[in-house]
Amino acid sequence: MGMFVGTQRINSLGHLEIGGCDTVELAEMFGTPLFVIDEKLVRENCRKYRRAFEEYYRGEARVAYAAKAFISTAMCKLTQQEGLWMDVSSEGELFTAMAANFPSNRIYMHGNYKTDEELRYSLNVDVHCIVVDSIDELYSLNSIAKSLGKKARILLRITPGVEAHTHEYIRTGQVDTKFGIQLAGAQAFEATKLALSMDCLELLGFHCHIGSQVFEIEPYRITIELMVEFMAQVKEELGFVTRELNLGGGLGIRYTDTDDPPSIEEFIKAISEATMEECAKHSLQLPILIVEPGRSIIGEAGTTLYRIGVIKEIQGVRTYVSVDGGMSDNPRPALYGARYRAIVANKADREPDFLCTIVGRHCEADVLIKDIKIAKPEKGDILAVLCTGAYHYAMASNYNRFTRPAVVLVNDGKADLIIAREKREDLIRNDIIPERLLNEDKQ
Ligand code: PLP
């Protein structure tokens, strides 16, 4: 597989082009750092999920975009137009979806600790369903629903005892996580009984999420086996028929050449077949099958453009190439040791034969990419870091009082700003100097 995805290509000027737009021109027009989103690729990924379900799952299926990966009002519009549902996990994400007029009856509300205010807000806007994460939440949601004179539709988030990340997964009875209700030790069964006994809750089914950036299908198969077995148990013992089974997100993407995730189609085929097989084995009707992909919808569609500044060569050690962003727009290298591919956008046709380390300009080591080969860089060049659509802007901060970058959506030669660059004034918008400190000035 080559370096590029979606509409990325090298144009006649030898520049990286995305969505028919020259990235060097984008950097001039919108400034740097800049997030560039390939609209065609986002839409194509949404369609791949939906098409695969149509082809391989015999029951009803839903694709709920996991907003935590990247959300803005324009992204809500895009996913809505593609017929997706949405998974939100905070009041702020829900507010953004509402502001974009995303239909509330296509929203799943998540969170291991939803405040009472968030639960009230979710019920008031009438989300499709609240994914209840704990026994505690069952009680508070039931009483909030009662006070509002409503019935809350819920899924129970179950921790099935399978945990998967990239190439590894573990299967244990107990999973050490703050999320969900353990399948082990009959906790999930007791929670189901409790939910069914509460008069202001309507249980629709179950949810689970086994990890993120997952490269293997096997842990999903095991999870489906466990979840469907549980569905059979609650049907048998409590007479409860599961209407919805939500398997969460997690499908991995290709950040570097060594990453080799299954395709969206392979993933959906495998989980559809496993669900149908397991349901047949237990003589259960097929549930509405739901997935919540975030990274695999938006990750590869995003590219960050930086302007290269200081280049520092330490003879016999390494060359540091500084860019005008860093951990405030991409905390993932610091958080997870994440690796990336990158290219000098204005020298995209040149041999990447210069070994260097890309660093940001924050007051930390702020290493973005250690030991990467790119075309020989010079001050003023544009560096494109690929695969930065998911959990980048969403995790951006104002560390060192950096302003958060702009985000542009590109397609067929058009570039539209979908999130404006923060201004210096935005940084002090919420700052307050107490009167008594002002008084000191006068002395
Ligand atoms: N659903 C839930 C409950 C999650 O916690 C996450 C991510 O952590 C997702 C969906 C999206 O995962 P991904 O972006 O890996 O597809």
Side-chain angles (χ1 to χ4, degrees):
M1 196 178 173
M3 174 143 193
F4 297 136
V5 291
T7 62
Q8 291 168 342
R9 67 177 201 103
I10 300 172
N11 69 14
S12 56
L13 298 172
H15 295 178
L16 172 65
E17 183 183 288
I18 308 173
C21 298
D22 185 316
T23 55
V24 181
E25 279 175 26
L26 291 176
E28 282 298 326
M29 257 161 67
F30 296 99
T32 51
L34 180 70
F35 285 100
V36 181
I37 310 264
D38 181 346
E39 179 179 339
K40 269 209 176 91
L41 184 54
V42 175
R43 290 188 186 276
E44 187 52 33
N45 289 337
C46 296
R47 287 171 199 181
K48 278 184 183 162
Y49 268 104
R50 293 194 59 202
R51 276 200 300 259
F53 264 140
E54 270 162 35
E55 181 155 357
Y56 298 110
Y57 192 60
R58 280 200 298 278
E60 187 182 336
R62 294 175 189 156
V63 182
Y65 172 64
K68 64 193 69 126
F70 171 72
I71 185 171
S72 75
T73 46
M75 187 62 191
C76 293
K77 281 276 169 247
L78 254 179
T79 46
Q80 183 187 346
Q81 285 171 9
E82 291 304 325
L84 265 54
W85 290 52
M86 191 171 294
D87 137 13
V88 297
S89 49
S90 71
E91 182 184 358
E93 288 178 1
L94 180 55
F95 178 77
T96 308
M98 292 295 95
N101 282 326
F102 194 92
S104 61
N105 62 2
R106 294 172 83 92
I107 292 181
Y108 288 84
M109 178 69 182
H110 281 274
N112 67 299
Y113 167 22
K114 305 174 192 76
T115 63
D116 289 356
E117 191 41 47
E118 274 175 331
L119 291 174
R120 236 174 264 122
Y121 182 37
S122 309
L123 289 173
N124 280 331
V125 301
D126 210 13
V127 295
H128 164 66
C129 170
I130 295 174
V131 183
V132 172
D133 208 273
S134 62
I135 305 274
D136 203 70
E137 191 183 331
L138 279 177
Y139 286 108
S140 38
L141 181 58
N142 189 51
S143 89
I144 289 169
K146 189 171 285 172
S147 70
L148 295 174
K150 292 183 179 255
K151 196 150 186 159
R153 288 173 297 275
I154 64 163
L155 296 184
L156 282 181
R157 178 164 178 172
I158 307 291
T159 310
V162 179
E163 218 183 343
H165 295 285
T166 314
H167 293 290
E168 288 163 21
Y169 68 93
I170 49 166
R171 187 182 175 180
T172 56
Q174 304 277 335
V175 173
D176 185 2
T177 169
K178 68 176 181 179
F179 293 108
I181 301 162
Q182 300 272 351
L183 191 57
Q187 283 180 43
F189 183 79
E190 290 305 321
T192 306
K193 216 156 84 180
L194 184 62
L196 290 171
S197 74
M198 290 179 157
D199 48 354
C200 290
L201 301 185
E202 182 187 358
L203 182 64
L204 302 181
F206 304 101
H207 171 279
C208 59
H209 171 80
I210 58 170
S212 214
Q213 184 62 352
V214 181
F215 283 4
E216 294 197 350
I217 285 181
E218 192 53 20
Y220 285 98
R221 283 207 193 95
I222 297 169
T223 301
I224 290 165
E225 232 176 84
L226 294 168
M227 293 298 285
V228 176
E229 201 178 311
F230 180 64
M231 283 161 50
Q233 185 197 356
V234 295
K235 184 176 174 215
E236 169 84 21
E237 297 179 33
L238 303 173
F240 175 70
V241 176
T242 302
R243 277 183 273 163
E244 296 193 14
L245 175 63
N246 185 328
L247 296 173
L251 178 62
I253 59 171
R254 193 170 158 270
Y255 289 97
T256 67
D257 298 333
T258 52
D259 290 341
D260 188 20
S263 67
I264 291 172
E265 191 183 38
E266 285 165 339
F267 171 64
I268 292 298
K269 180 173 190 279
I271 64 167
S272 297
E273 286 174 356
T275 306
M276 292 186 300
E277 252 168 55
E278 291 303 313
C279 285
K281 199 161 95 190
H282 293 280
S283 307
L284 292 175
Q285 69 182 57
L286 287 182
I288 300 172
L289 191 59
I290 302 133
V291 287
E292 296 172 335
R295 194 187 307 269
S296 52
I297 296 275
I298 187 74
E300 293 185 357
T303 303
T304 311
L305 303 180
Y306 299 102
R307 196 168 289 277
I308 290 174
V310 176
I311 299 173
K312 171 183 170 178
E313 185 187 349
I314 308 175
Q315 280 289 336
V317 181
R318 74 177 72 245
T319 300
Y320 285 100
V321 174
S322 305
V323 295
D324 58 354
M327 65 190 299
S328 62
D329 59 76
N330 184 0
R332 294 186 69 256
L335 279 175
Y336 318 117
R339 298 279 310 167
Y340 293 88
R341 289 168 292 149
I343 180 171
V344 180
N346 51 309
K347 298 172 178 170
D349 54 351
R350 299 202 200 156
E351 196 54 36
D353 53 6
F354 187 85
L355 181 67
C356 59
T357 287
I358 312 290
V359 290
R361 60 190 196 97
H362 295 78
C363 302
E364 297 275 336
D366 199 5
V367 174
L368 272 180
I369 313 175
K370 192 170 176 212
D371 295 337
I372 181 175
K373 278 191 170 168
I374 56 174
K376 192 168 186 332
E378 290 157 291
K379 189 176 169 133
D381 282 345
I382 299 298
L383 186 80
V385 177
L386 308 183
C387 227
T388 60
Y391 307 103
H392 287 76
Y393 190 89
M395 286 187 171
S397 75
N398 292 122
Y399 178 51
N400 282 159
R401 289 242 147 165
F402 272 55
T403 51
R404 276 177 297 178
V407 184
V408 290
L409 187 69
V410 294
N411 197 357
D412 282 339
K414 290 189 296 293
D416 295 295
L417 200 59
I418 60 166
I419 302 183
R421 183 176 304 283
E422 277 182 333
K423 298 191 241 0
R424 280 192 307 212
E425 291 70 25
D426 294 324
L427 296 169
I428 55 163
R429 174 156 298 146
N430 299 317
D431 288 14
I432 299 165
I433 303 178
E435 194 68 25
R436 62 192 170 76
L437 297 187
L438 288 171
N439 288 342
E440 299 247 319
D441 281 353
K442 293 179 196 145
Q443 285 167 11

